[in-house]
Amino acid sequence: MNKCVYPGSFDPVTTGHLDIIERTAKLFDDVTVAVLNNYTKSPAFSVAERTAFIKKSVAHLKNVRVGSFDGLLVDYMKQQDAKIIIRGLRALSDFEHEFQLAAMNTKLCSEVETIFMMTNTKYSFLSSSMVREIVQFGGSVEGLVPAPIIDEIRNRLTKQ
Ligand code: ADP
């Protein structure tokens, strides 16, 4: 069985992420979307919220699971018995960071391979931080986050 893990902050998941997940689900038998519990960033949404948003967004994809991890990705990969990491690339600006991450993960575990999916050009401008800003200033995020979670994201970010 070919397995892969798509790790990220997903704070929150966007339609750009979902597009990568849907395309990956056509290429692999088993896809795990893994939410990173990153203590160095201060996320807008908890791991439980981010995980729940992704679960709602991928309910139509039978070979996609959602998990979370902290610590090293390579340790989570071993735990999941997976060797392929999926990452998305939007613009040249993503490249340097992604290149460093991929090189570091291979250094930590030589069996791990990173595969990059190019963004759909429709979503090349889209990021979680942009979604958070638009919502906080009262703009519409229709088409920018998966439809089943739009209301929850709006309510949650405008409530404080
Ligand atoms: P991280 O903090 O790990 O970069 P993100 O949630 O921002 O987490 O992104 C997870 C992965 O998805 C990264 O590889 C990122 O480049 C990719 N990604 C983010 N937004 C898009 C998008 N609009 N199109 C394609 N890939 C994307």
Side-chain angles (χ1 to χ4, degrees):
M1 177 183 292
N2 60 15
K3 265 184 173 184
C4 67
V5 172
Y6 177 33
S9 305
F10 305 109
D11 188 33
V13 65
T14 68
T15 40
H17 293 129
L18 182 59
D19 178 68
I20 299 282
I21 297 168
E22 285 173 340
R23 286 160 53 207
T24 301
K26 289 184 190 154
L27 301 174
F28 291 86
D29 298 324
D30 185 328
V31 180
T32 300
V33 183
V35 176
L36 170 63
N37 193 0
N38 188 339
Y39 298 108
T40 59
K41 283 186 178 179
S42 36
F45 297 99
S46 68
V47 170
E49 287 175 308
R50 286 180 272 155
T51 305
F53 289 149
I54 302 170
K55 280 189 178 158
K56 277 193 185 165
S57 309
V58 302
H60 59 297
L61 300 168
K62 297 301 162 227
N63 56 337
V64 176
R65 294 183 279 151
V66 187
S68 63
F69 70 104
D70 45 32
L72 290 177
L73 175 59
V74 290
D75 290 336
Y76 182 73
M77 301 291 294
K78 279 181 201 150
Q79 230 180 65
Q80 296 295 310
D81 194 25
K83 296 196 168 60
I84 296 171
I85 300 170
I86 299 291
R87 294 285 287 177
L89 279 180
R90 283 162 294 188
L92 212 53
S93 51
D94 280 341
F95 180 81
E96 197 170 344
H97 177 61
E98 294 295 340
F99 180 75
Q100 278 181 350
L101 279 180
M104 185 49 72
N105 283 322
T106 304
K107 168 104 184 103
L108 292 171
C109 177
S110 59
E111 284 181 22
V112 157
E113 202 62 74
T114 304
I115 294 183
F116 294 99
M117 300 283 286
M118 289 308 288
T119 185
N120 183 321
T121 48
K122 279 197 287 193
Y123 305 123
S124 57
F125 63 92
L126 180 53
S127 65
S128 298
S129 59
M130 193 178 285
V131 164
R132 295 195 303 271
E133 258 184 60
I134 293 171
V135 173
Q136 274 155 357
F137 291 111
S140 165
V141 287
E142 218 167 307
L144 304 184
V145 296
I149 62 170
I150 288 184
D151 289 343
E152 269 177 90
I153 286 182
R154 193 189 303 119
N155 293 341
R156 170 66 171 66
L157 286 180
T158 52
K159 222 167 37 188
Q160 304 133 32

